[in-house]
Amino acid sequence: MSHVLNGAMNNVMDQAMSEAALKHQLLKWIIQDCERVRALELALQCAKVHSMPQWYLAAGFVRNLVWDRLHGFELSPLNDIDLIYFCPLDISPERDLAIETYLNQLAPELPWSVKNQARMHVRNQDTAYTSCVDAMAYWPEFETAIGVSYQVVDTESDTQTCVGMKNHPASYDIELVAPFGLNSLFALKLSANPKRGLSVFDHRVATKGWLTRYPLLECCRTS
């Protein structure tokens, strides 16, 4: 079994693969997963209704997909869909709740969690964040700080068009953001962010069960 998993990992994580190649592989995996495509569609619909020009489905939505694929596992259920957005004009928790309520009405079977990153610096005792990507740069693990967004584009090209959208008249483009890049994620590392205390990282590793679920992971407590 181990040689099968290692072979699958090596096929993807060839040292010659560039960041662009890793991104291409990740986007391919996303558009092959109907459940993730549907979540992105619903998030896009929500973003239009609630005026969220900057939003992403992030954290385990992306990270666990890669870990599942590299371990040769069946895809894990989406047990938490983190929708992050950035709106400094209204940082009230009530806005997050209203968006979450809307998503739960669209798809009550999906586990939505909504957080405006324009106010999360207060909870984390950081300086004010300037964007979703800036906020993600403070998340406890490098590999968690990855997000994808879904936008309508004015093009006839099928480039990066989601397979779930082939019958739609418009084209859709998936944007991927990763402030720490993708190399450590594809190298199956679990890396502590030095901007966050090690106690936070250690607590998450101990309680999330990642090392048990994904035995090929290498825990990196120092950068």
Side-chain angles (χ1 to χ4, degrees), residues 102-134:
Y102 177 82
L103 288 166
N104 284 326
Q105 291 172 345
L106 289 179
E109 74 282 4
L110 294 180
W112 302 100
S113 176
V114 178
K115 293 289 187 296
N116 183 0
Q117 299 301 293
R119 69 179 171 82
M120 298 309 292
H121 67 283
V122 177
R123 184 192 71 176
N124 298 331
Q125 299 181 350
D126 296 325
T127 57
Y129 305 140
T130 59
S131 66
C132 282
V133 175
D134 182 41

Side-chain angles (χ1 to χ4, degrees), residues 4 14 16 25 48 66 89 96 101 111 123 143 153 185 223:
V4 174
D14 187 286
Q25 179 64 75
K48 292 176 179 178
V66 174
L89 299 179
D96 291 357
T101 299
R123 184 192 71 176
E143 297 75 25
V153 293
L185 177 66
S223 56

Side-chain angles (χ1 to χ4, degrees), residues 19 23 26-27 30 54-59 62-63 84 131-137 139 142-151 174-182 185:
E19 185 79 7
K23 177 180 177 181
L26 177 49
L27 292 179
I30 289 172
Q54 184 183 146
W55 65 271
Y56 299 95
L57 297 187
V62 182
R63 180 199 63 220
I84 65 171
S131 66
C132 282
V133 175
D134 182 41
M136 292 165 68
W139 288 6
F142 288 171
E143 297 75 25
T144 297
I146 299 175
V148 287
S149 188
Y150 205 32
Q151 301 294 337
I174 299 179
E175 176 192 3
L176 187 146
V177 294
F180 303 108
L182 298 175
L185 177 66

Side-chain angles (χ1 to χ4, degrees), residues 195-215:
K195 291 182 179 178
R196 219 23 102 225
L198 272 178
S199 60
V200 175
F201 175 78
D202 290 340
H203 176 75
R204 284 171 58 83
V205 171
T207 58
K208 296 288 187 179
W210 293 323
L211 300 180
T212 301
R213 167 65 179 162
Y214 301 106

Side-chain angles (χ1 to χ4, degrees), residues 22-156:
L22 296 177
K23 177 180 177 181
H24 178 79
Q25 179 64 75
L26 177 49
L27 292 179
K28 181 179 178 181
W29 284 342
I30 289 172
I31 66 175
Q32 289 173 345
D33 181 359
C34 293
E35 191 171 25
R36 281 177 169 80
V37 168
R38 178 167 176 257
L40 282 164
E41 288 180 309
L42 294 172
L44 175 60
Q45 179 179 336
C46 177
K48 292 176 179 178
V49 171
H50 286 273
S51 301
M52 302 186 317
Q54 184 183 146
W55 65 271
Y56 299 95
L57 297 187
F61 184 85
V62 182
R63 180 199 63 220
N64 291 357
L65 172 62
V66 174
W67 287 350
D68 282 338
R69 285 283 194 164
L70 295 182
H71 279 75
F73 294 163
E74 292 292 327
L75 297 186
S76 303
L78 292 174
N79 56 10
D80 189 23
I81 303 179
D82 291 298
L83 188 154
I84 65 171
Y85 70 102
F86 194 82
C87 179
L89 299 179
D90 183 356
I91 61 172
S92 65
E94 289 75 19
R95 176 175 167 84
D96 291 357
L97 181 59
I99 295 170
E100 203 168 291
T101 299
Y102 177 82
L103 288 166
N104 284 326
Q105 291 172 345
L106 289 179
E109 74 282 4
L110 294 180
W112 302 100
S113 176
V114 178
K115 293 289 187 296
N116 183 0
Q117 299 301 293
R119 69 179 171 82
M120 298 309 292
H121 67 283
V122 177
R123 184 192 71 176
N124 298 331
Q125 299 181 350
D126 296 325
T127 57
Y129 305 140
T130 59
S131 66
C132 282
V133 175
D134 182 41
M136 292 165 68
Y138 288 82
W139 288 6
E141 308 90 30
F142 288 171
E143 297 75 25
T144 297
I146 299 175
V148 287
S149 188
Y150 205 32
Q151 301 294 337
V152 179
V153 293
D154 297 325
T155 177
E156 297 299 323

